[in-house]
Amino acid sequence: MLRSAAALAIGTGAGMARAEVPPAMTRPGRGVDAAPYGLPSPHEKSVVRRLLPRMFSTPLSAVSFTPLADLEGVITPNGLHFVRHHAGAPDIAPQSHRLLIHGLVKRPTIFRLDDLRRFPIHSRICFIECAGNGAPRWRGPTVNAVRFTHGMLSCSEWTGVRLMDVLEYCGLQDGAAWLLTEGADAAGFARSLPLELAEEALLAFAQNGEAIRPEQGYPLRLVVPGVEGAAHVKWLHRIEVGDKPWMTREETARYADLRPDGKADLFTFVQEVNSVITSPSPERPLPGKGVHQLSGLAWSGHGLITAVDVSFDGGMNWRPARLQQPVLPKSLTRFRLPVNWRGEQWLLQSRAVDEKGNVQPTLAANRRLKGETGIYHNNSITTWRVAKDGTVRHVEVD
Ligand SMILES: Nc1nc2c(c(=O)[nH]1)N[C@H]1C(S)=C(S)[C@@H](COP(=O)(O)O)O[C@H]1N2
Ligand SMILES: [Mo]
């Protein structure tokens, strides 16, 4: 399809054009001391996190969404990692921060950050996704922007020490099965985590090579690869070991799925297989006919993404996309597909499959399971309608 240069029709013929000297070649630029901490080009100043005001009443307990359509690769820049907190981001001095581990342990211990850094240090690339990512999509296409339909999702290289190494140092007592993990913020944010999910967890102090940002939990956060965002407790200051869950507000009244029969599913930890096309998307309309590089993100809390298929007709026919390397477990995976648009209407969808064989469901199938009142855990296929003028809208096709 992309074999001949003529078929591509990209760029402007050089022909008889005079070679122009770029103005930037005619005078020196800024010195190395102009930006002690580098910032993006001023031409990129629209690439920022944004709030969806009608979803939350106050910025102290809200979400600021990642601009997925503006990003490339799979790593989210630290300043654009989505922010979700329940009582504002505290300012914590690392020297005074402590982590208490107590409960069913032989040696209850208070750790300073320097103490924690004596355990073996590991890095792990993984996504964090709020269980409420996609909440507005339960009720159909109410928001027309990929940042708001999917932007409670980011991916970083997290560095820290293994939670299990630290728990082993404290010595787990018989009967230890659950952890209560609590943040030092004014929300009193606390969540129960079963010990088997702690296997891969990190007590993280760094994010993409630098100290974790204040909004992301400076100076210490829990990272639990593959598990819903709320388990990744920020500003972590206390872990209690027990034999059963604590049934905190954030795992009963919130982050629980109300079923059609009026009962609620509690403790849905793993984020199911999911994907979305980020370009084209409402923020990335097609600028004209011809060749375009379609691209998107896929992820699964169960492990590796093994395939992503793309449909142009609302799910009747599918074509495999290319998975861009590296493909890492419980990380974002970038998929790409060159497409040739002749100006027709498209109903674009992506459908991801993970290494456990889980296939992303349709919205109709998900609604049958979880009813119409859902907020959390929406991993259904999303449809973008590309209109004949190239604009893109979020629609529902089932
Ligand atoms: N202490 C504390 N930890 C917290 C929260 C919070 O409000 N307080 N919010 C949780 C929720 S619901 C999510 S989705 C993730 C979001 O992490 P991020 O803000 O770094 O994206 O943090 C979790 N950890
Ligand atoms: Mo969340």
Side-chain angles (χ1 to χ4, degrees), residues 44-53 55 63-71 79-83 129 132-137 143-154 276-284 297 382 384 394:
E44 301 294 325
K45 62 172 177 284
S46 66
V47 182
V48 291
R49 296 186 285 234
R50 282 179 216 273
L51 275 71
L52 183 58
M55 253 177 92
V63 185
S64 196
F65 292 82
T66 293
L68 295 176
D70 293 309
L71 302 183
L80 297 175
H81 195 289
F82 83 98
V83 183
E129 181 185 25
N133 199 21
R137 289 186 296 120
V143 287
N144 198 47
V146 65
R147 71 163 69 235
F148 294 135
T149 58
H150 291 83
M152 288 192 225
L153 170 73
S154 298
V276 69
I277 296 170
T278 55
S279 178
S281 62
E283 293 102 313
R284 289 264 162 265
L297 295 167
T382 297
W384 302 137
H394 180 206

Side-chain angles (χ1 to χ4, degrees), residues 47-51 62-68 71 74-85 89 124-130 133 147 150-158 204 206-208 210-218 221-224 227-230 232-235 330 332:
V47 182
V48 291
R49 296 186 285 234
R50 282 179 216 273
L51 275 71
V63 185
S64 196
F65 292 82
T66 293
L68 295 176
L71 302 183
V74 298
I75 298 292
T76 312
N78 287 353
L80 297 175
H81 195 289
F82 83 98
V83 183
R84 169 75 179 114
H85 49 53
R124 171 81 190 255
I125 295 176
C126 68
F127 69 81
I128 297 182
E129 181 185 25
C130 180
N133 199 21
R147 71 163 69 235
H150 291 83
M152 288 192 225
L153 170 73
S154 298
C155 185
S156 298
E157 183 205 58
W158 300 99
Q207 174 188 7
N208 296 329
E210 64 180 0
I212 289 181
R213 291 287 170 91
E215 304 90 318
Q216 263 64 59
Y218 183 89
R221 95 175 292 169
L222 193 60
V223 170
V224 197
V227 170
E228 68 177 9
H232 302 232
V233 172
K234 306 193 274 190
W235 315 294
K330 306 181 186 182
L332 292 185

